[in-house]
Amino acid sequence: MMQTLSSPTLAVLTKIAIERTMKEINTSLLAANLDRFITVTSSKERLVQTVLMAARRAAQKGDKDAHRGLLTFAKEQASGFRSPDELGPESLLFQLKEALLADGYDLQWDDPTIRTDTGSDGWIEIDRGPVVFHIRPTEAPGAEMGGEISALEAQLDAADFEVALNHYKQAVDNLNHHNYEASNGALRPMFEDVTFRVAQKYGYTGASGGNAINFMVDQKKVVPEKWGRLMQGAWDISHPEGPHPGRSNADEARFRMLIITSIVRRLLQHAGL
């Protein structure tokens, strides 16, 4: 299933769109080539929700035009904010930025306004042009997070690591629903269970995931020493900003998911699992 915009992101887009006129909404749908999904027009909210959800279903089935349309619609809605730098973090624009970041996209903007300091704690605007918005993927080219996640799930299933697989699925589900702390909190026991069980295979008799990693590094078992130190670093970052409200954000949670997913995949490969 193709990864596209999540439900929380569509919800923020709906909140922004219904503040526009019906004419503006239809124009945005036309610009995004999403008008093909229009089936109802009874209200602004129902129109937007119906179109966005239909487009997402199509995108998940592999319709790349529908996915591009959702991103274009998001950009269209962002463009309605003329002075983003004057908005607070609770504004809908910054909610959209955070939601898109969790989905793997960074919303940025260029404000061409030129301001000159008057020297008396004030300033004057020399020119105010339109704010230009951009939506760019956060992953590096070729780094398909969805593919890595699916591959690790398959590895855990093949190794019969049911507990770790359950924790991992919870972590992924919470990340997709923008529950960052809960995602972090589920990643840690997944990582611990895998390292513990792999280390046991090579003679570890302790009960701590952290000590299991140290055992594999110190005994030079399973993983090369330098690579093992990378595992130790990943273990360290799996502890702070965990399941505590307000302690994580989209960027941090996605980074943690990508790093730990990649490391656990490599560990299982080293162990022949």
Side-chain angles (χ1 to χ4, degrees):
M1 181 179 291
M2 179 179 172
Q3 185 175 354
T4 186
L5 301 189
S6 63
S7 294
T9 301
L10 298 191
V12 178
L13 285 173
T14 301
K15 291 178 183 178
I16 296 173
I18 61 177
E19 292 190 354
R20 320 297 188 213
T21 66
M22 183 66 85
K23 182 178 179 180
E24 289 172 333
I25 292 174
N26 279 290
T27 299
S28 292
L29 293 174
L30 286 170
N33 193 28
L34 295 180
D35 54 302
R36 59 191 171 114
F37 295 108
I38 296 177
T39 58
V40 295
T41 57
S42 58
S43 70
K44 292 189 291 185
E45 185 172 16
R46 189 179 178 199
L47 167 65
V48 174
Q49 287 179 341
T50 301
V51 169
L52 295 186
M53 292 176 68
R56 183 176 63 177
R57 285 193 295 271
Q60 290 172 332
K61 293 178 180 178
D63 189 335
K64 294 183 179 179
D65 287 336
H67 176 64
R68 283 193 290 267
L70 288 171
L71 293 176
T72 301
F73 185 76
K75 183 178 176 181
E76 285 283 315
Q77 298 314 302
S79 298
F81 296 93
R82 301 303 178 188
S83 304
D85 292 334
E86 298 173 10
L87 299 175
E90 300 303 318
S91 69
L92 286 173
L93 177 64
F94 281 90
Q95 289 180 35
L96 177 60
K97 179 176 176 64
E98 183 77 358
L100 284 169
L101 194 58
D103 291 342
Y105 295 93
D106 190 13
L107 174 63
Q108 301 175 342
W109 51 83
D110 301 320
D111 187 348
T113 302
I114 301 173
R115 296 180 173 87
T116 299
D117 191 346
T118 63
S120 57
D121 295 327
W123 50 267
I124 58 174
E125 291 184 0
I126 303 301
D127 177 51
R128 176 181 282 278
V131 178
V132 180
F133 289 83
H134 314 276
I135 296 179
R136 300 186 176 95
T138 58
E139 289 101 349
E144 296 293 340
M145 191 171 182
E148 286 291 301
I149 288 172
S150 297
L152 178 53
E153 288 180 344
Q155 285 178 280
L156 292 172
D157 185 52
D160 199 27
F161 284 11
E162 294 182 4
V163 173
L165 179 59
N166 184 50
H167 284 305
Y168 190 61
K169 286 182 175 180
Q170 291 177 20
V172 172
D173 182 67
N174 278 301
L175 180 63
N176 288 336
H177 287 84
H178 303 193
N179 300 318
Y180 311 125
E181 291 84 8
S183 176
N184 294 345
L187 268 182
R188 176 179 166 183
M190 180 278 289
F191 192 18
E192 181 170 26
D193 185 68
V194 171
T195 55
F196 177 70
R197 294 188 63 176
V198 169
Q200 275 189 321
K201 180 180 176 182
Y202 289 86
Y204 176 66
T205 58
S208 164
N211 288 335
I213 295 175
N214 295 335
F215 168 82
M216 288 187 283
V217 173
D218 296 339
Q219 300 297 319
K220 297 181 175 57
K221 296 183 177 182
V222 190
V223 295
E225 182 180 357
K226 291 182 179 179
W227 197 87
R229 288 201 292 270
L230 179 61
M231 286 179 54
Q232 289 173 322
W235 176 255
D236 289 340
I237 70 167
S238 74
H239 289 261
E241 287 77 54
H244 307 289
R247 294 280 297 277
S248 185
N249 57 35
D251 201 27
E252 192 275 339
R254 285 182 62 81
F255 174 78
R256 186 184 301 216
M257 174 67 72
L258 187 58
I259 289 295
I260 293 180
T261 293
S262 300
I263 286 176
V264 171
R265 282 204 66 205
R266 188 62 175 159
L267 172 62
L268 292 172
Q269 289 167 357
H270 276 301
L273 297 170

